[in-house]
């Protein structure tokens, strides 16, 4: 998606503005229309705030209509290709577009239970979650009261809108919607960054499924050239980093056991803050290692 | 097997001595007979040395006959129940008694190739190896010369004999045939041993199979009441320790992420020295951990 | 001091009992006399409890007399050689027998202030403290109320009595009056215990003074043959362990910087629990180390 | 010293060029003159190489004269204020301008021994060394042959010249003459950067002297706003970092011992590569810490 400059939007006519931002709030162009009348905006943050304020200022039934305008998660609309382009891409980001029959059935059950209790679809900012985390939230939020759940749904809609604005617009400021997952490997046997170490990142799921989501080799500074995840929220979920350390030490001719005491070192951890910075390094010798949540 | 005191054997008649030790060397009672004539023995080590010396002193064709008296690994004799009691138990210890068809076929292929090249069965002290390690040794030793391989086979027979002596006899000394795998968990968040941590030990195989071989809970000193493996050689192979740390910290009411940054911490390592002491501890906070081969 | 068996004391006449234990409570033989009448004691703990109970049962003025029977810390009695043998040895254990003039003056000031406020000598179980810690307690306890301070003084007298009993008597049980300070060095560069490492233990003081109190070399298991401090309480105070790691790695021919990145590694820590076990190990490569309060 | 642009020097007349660079080689303007004729230079590195080549191309006696043109280290010229401005500042950087009488005498002895053996002054690039390291080099180089020592002296002169060029000139490139010493503190108890930790850096000397050379407080990212040493070579020598961790944890209200197990954590290390990057972080809880040479 080519980004539009905020300045251009400030100067555009209403049709231009609505073409760019009319779908930031799902099936609710009135939110963008309200913001359109308050131009110009100096920052993305100001525009985002104005749109949120418009939602907050709307009567309760209009807010509820906004909520009800969203599709079910992994629902029939998804299967039928009947969702907005944004929703389609968002649901795909957590793998909701290729569920097993069992998973589809589970989502169907949860959607039905949720609709029955609250009379609206379950809304969650999918890009901030793994499939496991979505299911966990689903179960947890089914326990909420109607009031709490309406508030939670609006909060999720604001998260979704912030990410849609971030994808569409360019400005001097950035909305704080991105997290970062990075690593580095320090060879404390040789007292130097470990270069040339193969690293894999997998997303783990409660069902035992493991999905490879990044693969990199450390550079001369023991780091990867790019973050393992960056430029987007970190999906709440569980991950495993795999560091191929026996190959690294073998390449240096370092004495190891036969077989080596350490080979592929797995580090399992969970992400709980989608906009956080998770730096998960490895300090390693052929006989020891340490890891931690760093910065 | 009830152990016999070395002193009793020193005092026994030849029939008694042979009843106890005649099968220490597979289908080769002459080794025990040679030792019988050199009694008394002050230590197990002296008895073991005398038996090895008898083998070394024998002519080459008798040594070869000794080697040839051993059954194939995971071979037809095993399936047919035609092995000695010792061999049966030994092969079971590495899971050779319940191979898949594919594994059985692979052993069959290796046995055939080995017999074709060397004209004798492949001998390995099974208790010192995992199935993976046996297969790796098989492939590696197929590259040996006949002379090197005869020497290797005798070395393995001596390992087997030492373990059989250790199982049958009691004396003031012990043969150094046992390894030890232990762990402890230190809570460096609270500055104390971590009590009540669930720990699992799995044996890993190259095929991805994982076999649970021990499960324990740490005591007040952060240790397990008994070694995870002890009283036997440590099978050469790859292992995974799993430390359930999120449950531990949750039990203390310690602040963790949601989900916790660390949950079940996996530590993968290999054993290369069956008679060694592997102490693999965990120093852990909710946000960091370290492990090493300790002592 | 040759230890007497508890059983002998149970069988002794009163004179014998009093000869052994009459001075356990300073200038207060009535405490031992009370215990004498309750014989026999099955354990040291029971004897200790009986003596404490006798003190607790005494009228307030007798308790106060017991307190007042103690000498000043580092006072004129010490200089004049007028203290009991026990008190003399105890005060020497914290170096109170060779104070500088400035220190002597400081103790004199504190003693005077304390006597003026409370009308009794300042009592502390010296063997559980370093000089620094005694001074810190002195300042802190000067803030107490009379009631709190009387209670604190009795508590200290009980600590003193427990240690005097421990020194005089042998029984099946032991009073828990000893702490332990130990260490070990693990070479995580080579994956083995670090043998032959020189270790020094110094007591630090707030004035910058450093007193060497132990020196040892690690054995094959990377440990010292005996605890660095054992068989007595650990004096509350600050300490420095010095590990001579560059010499160790140089002895192995390990590549280090020139000069080595690490040479003598200092680890500073405080003891707060005199009866605790402080295990302060070092995990070290030529380029990294870790230490912790272990167990 | 205001820096001159390399481009200006390329365009200057010879007098201007010589005014800027005539003293880069001590009392040897012929080196700059040779370079002057080869202008223009695209980079500082090319200029530096041209000047070194001019020295290498000179006859041996002219090289020796260049060497002899340097003042003694901590010699009479220093005391008499008879050195060039560059030499004065350089010698001051290692504290050679305020030696004790004993140190002055030691330098005097070494200078005499060196002059007697080699007939020239001892030359060393002082900015790359601590006083201890200068003395160590002095002793070591006294063992050299005349040929080796002449070569060593020229190498040091090139180091000195590179630093003088770096101070005088601005260009697109930089000579690699700077090192960097940095740290950061990670609170592995709380799983976050440790903000507000006071850090001191001291230079240690073999005589026990300790000189404070930097003091900083960690920022929100657990780092110091500027490197502890930067923009210059790191003097080869021994250092101590002091991390005030008890104050940090007390500020957070974290449970610690009384007194705290860890208070001011000292980390001692040596710098061996003046142009290297030494990152020496601390990972710390109230009960454990780790440090390493990082990157």
């Amino acid at each position: 998606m080519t980004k539009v400059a905020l300045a251009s939007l400030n100067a555009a006519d209403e049709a231009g503005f609505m073409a760019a931002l009319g779908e930031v709030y799902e099936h609710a162009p009135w939110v963008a229309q309200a913001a359109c009348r308050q131009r110009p905006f100096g920052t993305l943050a100001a525009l985002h705030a104005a749109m949120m304020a418009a939602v907050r200022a709307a009567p309760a039934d209009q807010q509820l209509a906004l909520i009800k305008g969203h599709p079910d998660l992994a629902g029939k609309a998804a299967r039928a290709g009947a969702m907005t382009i944004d929703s389609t891409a968002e649901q795909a980001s957590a793998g909701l577009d290729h569920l097993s029959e069992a998973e589809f059935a589970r989502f169907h059950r949860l959607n039905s239970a949720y609709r029955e209790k609250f009379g609206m679809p379950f809304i969650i900012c999918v890009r901030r979650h793994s499939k496991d985390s979505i299911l966990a939230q689903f179960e947890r939020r089914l326990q909420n009261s109607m009031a709490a759940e309406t508030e939670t749904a609006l909060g999720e809609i604001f998260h979704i809108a912030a990410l849609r604005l971030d994808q569409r617009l360019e400005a001097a400021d950035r909305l704080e919607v991105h997290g970062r997952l990075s690593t580095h490997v320090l060879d404390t046997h040789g007292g130097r960054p470990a270069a040339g170490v193969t690293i894999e990142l997998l997303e783990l799921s409660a069902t035992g499924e493991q999905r490879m989501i990044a693969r990199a080799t450390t550079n001369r500074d023991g780091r990867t050239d790019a973050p393992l995840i960056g430029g987007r929220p970190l999906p709440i979920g569980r991950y495993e980093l795999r560091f191929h350390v026996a190959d690294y030490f073998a390449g240096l001719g370092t004495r190891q056991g036969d077989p080596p005491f350490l080979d592929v070192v797995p580090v399992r951890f969970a992400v709980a803050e989608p906009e956080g910075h998770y730096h998960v390094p490895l300090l390693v010798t052929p006989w020891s290692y340490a890891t931690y949540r760093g910065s």
Side-chain angles (χ1 to χ4, degrees), chain A:
Chain A
M1 194 183 287
T2 315
K3 290 192 172 187
V4 177
L6 180 57
S8 311
L9 277 197
N10 280 329
D13 58 16
E14 184 175 338
F17 187 90
M18 290 305 294
L21 303 188
E23 294 179 7
V24 165
Y25 282 75
E26 190 95 356
H27 299 309
W30 55 270
V31 184
Q33 277 156 350
C36 184
R37 290 188 293 270
Q38 298 174 47
R39 291 181 295 169
F41 296 103
T43 61
L44 267 185
L47 168 57
H48 180 42
M51 295 179 95
M52 289 193 290
V55 172
R56 290 286 185 202
D61 60 347
Q62 195 171 14
Q63 291 181 351
L64 193 59
L66 166 63
I67 292 173
K68 291 187 177 172
H70 286 76
D72 277 345
L73 272 188
K76 287 186 188 153
R79 290 218 161 170
M83 294 192 303
T84 61
I85 293 175
D86 286 301
S87 282
T88 303
E90 286 156 10
Q91 296 205 13
S93 80
L96 301 189
D97 57 340
H98 48 276
L99 297 176
S100 68
E101 281 305 312
E103 289 172 324
F104 184 79
R106 184 166 174 206
F107 269 104
H108 185 69
R109 256 194 325 274
L110 287 163
N111 276 324
S112 301
Y114 189 93
R115 274 198 178 274
E116 186 167 333
K117 173 161 185 186
F118 297 114
M120 57 190 194
F122 175 76
I123 302 177
I124 191 167
C125 180
V126 172
R127 288 194 193 276
R128 299 175 77 245
H129 293 271
S130 62
K131 198 162 54 184
D132 271 18
S133 172
I134 291 169
L135 289 166
Q137 289 298 316
F138 224 143
E139 306 276 10
R140 195 180 288 189
R141 285 169 53 186
L142 266 169
Q143 314 306 319
N144 275 355
S145 68
M146 181 69 197
E149 195 49 26
T150 307
E151 185 55 36
T152 302
L154 287 180
E156 295 294 324
I157 288 172
F158 294 152
H159 276 305
I160 294 167
L163 281 163
R164 291 180 178 180
L165 287 174
D166 174 71
Q167 286 181 315
R168 283 161 162 84
L169 299 183
E170 227 161 25
D173 68 322
R174 309 264 340 221
L175 296 178
E176 292 189 358
V177 292
H178 296 174
R180 187 151 51 105
L181 173 60
S182 58
T183 187
H184 81 273
V185 188
L186 198 74
D187 170 358
T188 48
H189 184 273
R192 65 195 149 220
V197 179
T198 300
I199 298 173
E200 292 150 342
L201 174 67
L202 294 94
E203 186 185 305
L204 308 180
S205 96
T207 61
E209 201 188 335
Q210 304 190 332
R211 194 161 61 97
M212 175 92 68
I213 53 180
R215 192 184 169 92
T217 302
T218 54
N219 57 26
R220 282 188 49 191
D221 199 33
R223 301 176 189 272
T224 59
D225 290 336
L228 295 169
I229 305 179
R232 58 157 296 166
L234 304 180
I236 294 173
R238 296 190 313 117
Y239 297 87
E240 179 170 310
L241 278 165
R242 293 189 183 157
F243 298 91
H244 291 245
V245 306
D247 289 349
Y248 165 76
F249 284 116
L252 295 176
T254 306
R255 183 183 74 86
Q256 302 186 85
D258 175 20
F261 181 65
L262 300 177
D263 187 349
V264 177
V265 169
V267 173
R268 292 194 176 180
F269 62 94
V271 162
E273 306 162 22
E275 290 79 28
H277 178 197
Y278 284 75
H279 184 65
V280 185
L282 189 75
L283 316 180
V284 65
T285 79
W287 309 98
S288 65
Y289 63 90
T291 187
Y292 49 90
R293 179 172 178 188
S295 69

